[in-house]
Amino acid sequence: MTAAPAPAPAPGAPPTRAQRIGDAALDLLVERGMRGLTHRAVDERAGLPQGSTSNHARTRQALLETAVRRQVERESGVLAPHELPAPGAAPEALVDALALALHRYLTDHRSLLVSRYELALEATRRPELRSFFDSAGAVFHGPVTAMMRAAGSAEPERHALSLIAWCEGLMFSCAAGSFHAAVPSRAELRTGFDELLRGMLGAGRGGQS
């Protein structure tokens, strides 16, 4: 089973029942943590008749997978891979796009970070969820690796890991860590991405000479 996001509904279309259940599950994870995520609580939060969540996701594992799937759908909307510049674009365009996406996440969608961390921690205790969670992450890893390859990286897989890890560390620090009260500005994020990419791509070019 994979966690690829479902096709986005048409603009203005109401969310599907699966999306309502997923949204309610994520809200509960943010507010109450993993212990507060129950089928009954999801029904109440989503405003659905009792038993609706159980009909959609009968087991705890199925409910967690529903939450992960919705997490991926919503993150795809925030990070918007389609907004990345075309392969071969100037590095400045790439830096601008990355800074915009990360700033949008940190300022308008910080609750998604909290729900992601709750799910990631639970995945460390549930091997069956670990596999599902990892397949969700692959939705983003592939495009980043391709982006680094197109930018001229001599080691695109390793540089993609470094770039993702830098973003993850920054997001954790600003959402739940010691910098939670001070979100970097878009200009500051741009400077950080510029420094990081210059270092990686410069090293890659040097390795090819």
Side-chain angles (χ1 to χ4, degrees):
M1 177 180 285
T2 63
T16 65
R17 175 164 292 199
Q19 289 171 331
R20 290 174 64 186
I21 290 172
D23 286 336
L26 296 180
D27 288 345
L28 288 167
L29 287 173
V30 172
E31 295 179 11
R32 305 180 191 177
M34 195 57 65
R35 290 185 178 181
L37 179 62
T38 66
H39 288 76
R40 180 184 294 272
V42 172
D43 284 340
E44 293 174 353
R45 176 54 60 91
L48 295 171
Q50 185 174 340
S52 297
T53 300
S54 292
N55 287 335
H56 175 78
R58 290 195 174 277
T59 66
R60 176 78 169 173
Q61 172 69 16
L63 180 57
L64 290 168
E65 290 180 1
T66 296
V68 172
R69 186 178 294 109
R70 186 58 173 152
Q71 179 83 24
V72 173
E73 290 174 359
R74 289 175 59 177
E75 286 190 356
S76 295
V78 175
L79 299 176
H82 66 276
E83 292 181 354
L84 291 174
E92 292 77 10
L94 178 57
V95 167
D96 284 338
L98 291 171
L100 172 62
L102 192 54
H103 188 258
R104 180 192 296 147
Y105 209 145
L106 291 173
T107 53
D108 298 329
H109 302 277
R110 295 177 75 176
S111 64
L112 274 180
L113 291 172
V114 178
S115 58
R116 184 206 292 186
Y117 300 144
E118 289 284 350
L119 291 166
L121 288 173
E122 186 68 8
T124 67
R125 298 181 284 267
R126 288 176 174 263
E128 66 277 16
L129 184 62
R130 177 80 273 167
S131 176
F132 193 81
F133 192 87
D134 288 348
S135 72
V139 173
F140 301 101
H141 296 172
V144 174
T145 300
M147 178 182 70
M148 295 306 300
R149 183 177 292 110
S153 169
E155 299 180 74
E157 291 83 7
R158 184 173 67 82
H159 286 161
L161 170 62
S162 296
L163 180 59
I164 291 171
W166 186 84
C167 292
E168 292 278 7
L170 188 66
M171 289 190 292
F172 181 86
S173 294
C174 292
S178 56
F179 291 93
H180 65 91
V183 175
S185 67
R186 186 174 166 185
E188 289 171 330
L189 292 172
R190 191 190 187 287
T191 298
F193 277 118
D194 184 62
E195 292 169 343
L196 186 64
L197 290 174
R198 283 180 184 274
M200 290 191 296
L201 298 179
R205 286 192 295 268
Q208 292 177 305
S209 62

